[in-house]
Each structure stands twice: as structure tokens, then as C-alpha cells.
Amino acid sequence: MEQHPVVQYTSEASWAMVEDKFSPYAKDILAKLITFLEDEVWPATNIAHAQLPPEPQKRWEAVIPIVAELKEKAKERGLWNLFLSKTHYPQFGVPLTNLEYAVMAELLGREGRIASEVLNCSAPDTGNMEVLARYGSPEQQEKWLIPLLEGKIRSAFSMTERKVASSDATNIKTSIRQEGNEIVINGHKWYISGAGDPRTKLHLVLGKSDPNNKSAYRQQSIVIVPADAPGVKVVRPMHVFGYDDAPEGHCEVVYENVRVPLSNLVLGWGKGFEIIQGRLGPGRIHHCMRSIGAASSALDLMIQRVTDPERKTFGKFLYQHSTIIAEIAQSRSEIESARMLVLSAANQIDKYRAKGALKEIGIAKFTVPSMALKVIDRAIQAFGAEGVSQDQELAPRWAALRTLRIADGPDAVHIQQVGMRELKRAEGLHKRTQEKTEKERLLLEKARL
């Protein structure tokens, strides 16, 4: 039986595990996606980078021509909004499960600059579209969601604050209050992804609307703020290890007496924490699968480098040094383990939604980015100076992945939450041990008789 082309980018074992869970439609889309990536997207990556203007100011005004062209081709091929599952969003989604899309997300992660955007599957738009599809009013969906789904506009998610420990969302200080039929927003945010993009037309802003509520998780609300509303000021792009990630960027943003209609409130007052919990679950898995793709691509580059006859050291191929062989084996082992972990989490989301898969999502979130960083670091070491240069993609991939140990909740938070969930099993474990001990005692007494 002929193997599916995805095997060359994953493994026979991982594909065998999920193949029977893929619908005929999903298998067809996956094959089309691989062809599109191989023939159109991956060869265009360096061209897209070259089309970004070198002048600092113009970098933030750019719409990259080849990316726009590829988006139209993706639409024509039906490779559009693949992240949005019809199972959970029947009105807007495509007939793919999270598990099916997870395999596709790994392929998108093999090239970190344009692939996801070309398919309208890039953050923060993906999470924002899920928020509006799940929680938005019909009016909000018509005005904001439909243009996002069509790729006509982009968006930003505005949560992290400059002088606040934002890993605990209950600390957020941005003020959201009602005045008559308007909502007034005042706050200072930073590392707001997408805020620098000229196509961004809305920010989803998390702020504190009821600071005196007895429940720390009912104090926050989310409101839609038009990017061009008076009082919205993009202060500057924030760099990540020197990369500004134009034109999307991660920006510092001030909201000063910004006024929007009351109809821009999402879901209702005090629903902000509920919304962000629903938003982040699937997105974290998407990030993890893309991370596995980045690690797999880095390992491929490393293998090519260490078998290059022009790169011998001390008369040997690089792979003939025992440390290199061990690092290749370790990398392969870690990638395969991480993939199984994430596919399992995606399957849990399909069965129980994100809320029912929090443990699996949390484990993946603090395990996978760290794994990918190790693999990419080994590849950088094999490349030597070239590995940290602009002539290879390894340095920007490493920088982007390093942020994932902070973004969507830092490692420490996920580790704490997973650990606390494990500790909840303590009572049951003690009870079973006591029951076992009692049974052993009774058996021993019977034996003595």
C-alpha cells in the first residue's frame, strides 16, 4: 500500500497511530497541503524576506507581495482557515478535527515565517477568530469575524502589561468601565502581537471591569477596540533577541480614554477570564505542533551539515565524531516523544474541548518548546558560526521558540498547574493503598488459619 506523503515529514509510527482517525477529506487536504508547501510556499520564504523593505519605518507599512499572492492560491486550493474545526464551530469552521489539523500545523512549523499566514492560520488571528466564533454576538461576527475569516483584515490580542506580572491574568490593571452607552478603556500593554501590522483593524483588550468583585476570576472583561480608535497609541515595536518581527511585531500599546460602543463588549461583563481560558487551549497545541515542525526541520539541516564532505574536521566527517551521533539520536527520540504527546492532547480537545484537556495541554506546553530549543541548539552547534548568522534560519527560529516558554503562560505556571492536578489524586491513592493493605492483612490471617 502506498504511503501518504506526510510520512517523509513525520514518521511511519506516528502516522500509523492517527491514520484511521483521519477522514478521507482530511487525508486529501493533507496531501494538497504538502504539495502546496513544497511547490509554492517553502521556495518563496526567502523571496518574502527579501521583499520586506530594509528601511525601519517602511518595514511597518509593508504588505509583502508574494505572501498576498500565495494567500489567493491557498484559497483556490481550499487550504484556508484549516485551524477552525467545524466540530466546535459549525457555522464557520472547516471539517477538520484538532487532531487532523495538529499534523498539518507541524508541517507549517517547518518554515516559521510565512506558511501559517498564507493559510490564514497564524496567531494571534487564529485565537481571536475562535473567540469571536464562540463568544461573539451576531453583530460582532458580521463586523469583525467575517473579514478575519476572509483574510481581509488582521487583529491583535491585548493582554500582557508592562508593569504587571501578567502570567497571572487576575493581576491585569487596564481599566474597562461603562459610561452611559460607551465603554472607556485606559491601560498600558506591551508585547502585543500583531499591533504593528497595517492590516490590523481590531484589538481584543483584556482589562479589569469589576475590581471589587469577590471572585478574582470575575473581575475581568474583554472588549473589541478598533485599531484606529482615538486614544490607541502604538508606542514602539518590542524586539525579541534583536528581531522586531515586522510587519506584525510585538508592540507596546497605550490606551488612553479610548471610547467604544457598549456593543463591543464580548460575551458580557466579568467574562474575560472565561474567554481567555477558552481561547488559549487549542492555540497552545497549535504552537506545540509548529514547534515540533521547527525541531524536525532543524534536525534535517543538522544531518545534511554533518554529512557534507566539504565540512570535515580533523580528517573526519562531522557525524563520525561520537558526540554528533548521540545528539542526532537524542533529537530524534525527543521529537517522536513530543509528537505523540501533542497528538494525544489534540485528541483530548476533540473529545472534551480545551477545558477537559487542561492537563494534557499544560504538559505539552512546558515540554515541547524546551525540547525544540534543545534540538535547534544542537543544529546551531553543528553549523558553527553560520548557525547564528543571517544565512541560516536557525537563529530566528530559536529566538521565536524561546518566547513560547513565556507566551500563553510561562513554563512555571503550567508546571504548577499540572503538579496541583496530580496532587488531587492523593486522597484516592491513599484510599487504594489502605484497601490493599487491609486485603493483605485478611489474606495473611486466613493463611495462618
Side-chain angles (χ1 to χ4, degrees):
M1 183 175 178
E2 186 177 351
Q3 288 183 325
H4 194 282
V6 76
V7 170
Q8 64 183 312
Y9 296 111
T10 56
S11 69
E12 292 183 24
S14 59
W15 177 241
M17 188 184 79
V18 300
E19 184 177 9
D20 63 344
K21 296 181 182 296
F22 267 60
S23 68
Y25 170 82
K27 290 179 182 177
D28 181 58
I29 287 292
L30 180 57
K32 288 180 179 177
L33 175 61
I34 291 170
T35 299
F36 184 53
L37 291 173
E38 290 177 338
D39 294 347
E40 304 272 4
V41 180
W42 291 337
T45 301
N46 289 332
I47 297 172
H49 183 69
Q51 288 180 342
L52 189 64
E55 299 86 353
Q57 184 55 41
K58 289 185 178 180
R59 288 167 61 80
W60 301 99
E61 302 170 356
V63 175
I64 301 172
I66 198 165
V67 173
E69 293 172 17
L70 288 169
K71 285 184 176 183
E72 293 306 313
K73 292 180 179 180
K75 288 181 185 178
E76 292 169 2
R77 289 162 171 76
L79 302 172
W80 194 254
N81 294 331
L82 301 180
F83 73 95
L84 197 63
S85 174
K86 200 174 188 69
T87 303
H88 302 308
Y89 307 98
Q91 184 179 354
F92 304 105
V94 297
L96 292 173
T97 65
N98 280 289
L99 177 64
E100 290 165 342
Y101 176 66
V103 175
M104 299 175 194
E106 178 178 345
L107 297 173
L108 300 183
R110 293 183 66 88
E111 180 285 310
R113 287 192 281 188
I114 66 171
S116 293
E117 184 186 346
V118 162
L119 276 63
N120 211 36
C121 291
S122 59
D125 295 333
T126 48
N128 292 343
M129 285 187 266
E130 290 190 73
V131 165
L132 293 170
R134 184 173 179 183
Y135 304 110
S137 68
E139 177 191 352
Q140 292 168 351
Q141 291 173 345
E142 179 67 26
K143 186 173 182 179
W144 303 109
L145 175 59
I146 299 303
L148 280 168
L149 289 170
E150 293 175 348
K152 294 179 179 177
I153 64 174
R154 297 204 65 185
S155 62
F157 186 71
S158 193
M159 175 177 146
T160 305
E161 297 185 3
R162 182 174 182 182
K163 297 182 179 180
V164 168
S166 302
S167 57
D168 180 355
T170 63
N171 289 332
I172 297 301
K173 301 297 183 187
T174 290
S175 169
I176 293 178
R177 58 187 174 82
Q178 182 176 352
E179 280 191 10
N181 292 325
E182 290 185 317
I183 299 173
V184 182
I185 303 103
N186 282 280
H188 193 164
K189 306 280 191 177
W190 74 345
Y191 280 99
I192 305 308
S193 298
D197 197 310
R199 298 161 294 180
T200 291
K201 301 302 179 185
L202 72 147
H203 297 190
L204 289 181
V205 181
L206 176 73
K208 193 157 284 190
S209 55
D210 186 7
N212 297 318
N213 194 300
K214 292 181 180 179
S215 171
Y217 302 101
R218 297 280 297 174
Q219 297 176 357
Q220 308 82 16
S221 298
I222 285 182
V223 64
I224 299 169
V225 175
D228 60 356
V232 177
K233 181 183 179 182
V234 177
V235 179
R236 58 173 175 159
M238 302 304 303
H239 290 193
V240 176
F241 294 105
Y243 298 100
D244 63 11
D245 292 323
E248 296 89 355
H250 317 280
C251 298
E252 184 175 355
V253 184
V254 171
Y255 303 93
E256 186 174 359
N257 293 320
V258 178
R259 292 178 176 270
V260 299
L262 190 58
S263 59
N264 281 26
L265 180 68
V266 181
L267 189 60
W269 295 107
K271 299 290 188 178
F273 203 86
E274 175 186 342
I275 292 170
I276 63 171
Q277 288 300 103
R279 179 186 188 276
L280 291 173
R284 286 169 174 153
I285 293 303
H286 302 165
H287 278 315
C288 286
M289 286 308 291
R290 286 192 293 267
S291 299
I292 292 169
S296 295
S297 178
L299 179 56
D300 288 353
L301 288 173
M302 181 180 181
I303 291 171
Q304 292 177 72
R305 181 74 169 197
V306 301
T307 56
D308 185 345
E310 300 297 321
R311 301 287 178 177
K312 290 183 177 180
T313 59
F314 305 104
K316 293 181 178 181
F317 284 95
L318 293 180
Y319 77 86
Q320 291 176 316
H321 299 278
S322 59
T323 54
I324 296 289
I325 294 176
E327 288 175 352
I328 290 172
Q330 189 66 37
S331 295
R332 174 50 61 199
S333 170
E334 291 166 352
I335 289 169
E336 295 300 320
S337 300
R339 183 185 293 119
M340 297 297 181
L341 174 63
V342 178
L343 290 175
S344 174
N347 193 44
Q348 284 289 98
I349 295 173
D350 286 326
K351 288 182 176 179
Y352 308 112
R353 285 188 174 271
K355 194 171 183 180
L358 291 177
K359 182 177 74 173
E360 291 77 13
I361 293 170
I363 294 171
K365 180 58 176 63
F366 72 74
T367 301
V368 177
S370 293
M371 175 281 298
L373 284 169
K374 291 177 185 175
V375 174
I376 294 175
D377 185 71
R378 292 170 189 142
I380 289 173
Q381 199 70 14
F383 272 83
E386 188 179 343
V388 296
S389 76
Q390 66 269 40
D391 291 346
Q392 289 292 333
E393 275 293 297
L394 294 169
R397 285 182 190 175
W398 191 95
L401 276 167
R402 183 59 184 85
T403 66
L404 279 187
R405 294 191 57 211
I406 302 168
D408 292 351
D411 287 1
V413 169
H414 292 289
I415 291 170
Q416 176 79 3
Q417 291 173 344
V418 170
M420 293 303 294
R421 285 192 179 89
E422 283 296 290
L423 286 170
K424 289 180 180 178
R425 300 194 301 115
E427 184 178 349
L429 291 171
H430 285 302
K431 183 178 179 181
R432 286 198 294 274
T433 299
Q434 290 170 357
E435 290 173 350
K436 178 185 175 185
T437 301
E438 179 62 15
K439 289 176 181 178
E440 289 175 344
R441 186 185 67 79
L442 293 173
L443 284 172
L444 183 59
E445 288 183 357
K446 186 177 179 180
R448 286 172 177 170
L449 293 175

